[in-house]
Amino acid sequence: MSATTQSDMLSEIREVNLSYLLLAQRLLREDRPTGMFRMGISEQLAEVLVNLTLAQAVRLAASNQVLCRFRFDDHAILSSLADKGKSVQTHAAILMASQPVAQIA
């Protein structure tokens, strides 16, 4: 992989991370329980995210690791979400809601 490609990829990761952190903060500030449910996170993690300053969020986003992750590892759930049927998406949402929330280790 060329240095330019590597640099571009890291830049895109930072952009995704910052977008995710800012969206998470917005969801949590507008309606914390719903935001926690939609992101699949615990109250403890929600508290940390909502209290990040902009400078802290920017520093955290600068990581070379993607901060957000898929909430599902199951092929059936991913396939259901990709389908266009409303009932299938509802079923997938129910399955996702039954998964444990992310915790701070």
Side-chain angles (χ1 to χ4, degrees):
M1 184 179 300
S2 73
T4 303
T5 303
Q6 181 76 14
S7 176
D8 290 345
M9 191 179 313
L10 291 174
S11 178
E12 289 175 15
I13 289 172
R14 285 190 295 271
E15 187 175 324
V16 166
N17 284 343
L18 186 57
S19 294
Y20 174 74
L21 290 170
L22 295 176
L23 174 63
Q25 286 184 320
R26 183 172 150 219
L27 288 170
L28 294 168
R29 286 182 178 138
E30 288 179 4
D31 183 347
R32 186 172 289 201
T34 301
M36 289 170 49
F37 173 76
R38 287 187 174 161
M39 292 185 299
I41 61 172
S42 68
E43 176 69 37
Q44 182 186 20
L45 188 51
E47 188 68 23
V48 170
L49 287 171
V50 82
N51 287 314
L52 288 175
T53 65
L54 181 56
Q56 289 171 321
V58 169
R59 277 196 309 271
L60 187 55
S63 166
N64 64 354
Q65 301 293 315
V66 177
L67 298 177
C68 58
R69 67 176 181 86
F70 286 109
R71 285 183 50 197
F72 41 84
D73 298 320
D74 186 349
H75 170 67
I77 295 174
L78 182 58
S79 296
S80 294
L81 288 171
D83 278 341
K84 295 185 187 227
K86 187 72 170 171
S87 64
V88 175
Q89 289 182 352
T90 301
H91 183 254
I94 291 168
L95 290 174
M96 287 173 51
S98 68
Q99 294 188 353
V101 298
Q103 301 277 342
I104 295 177

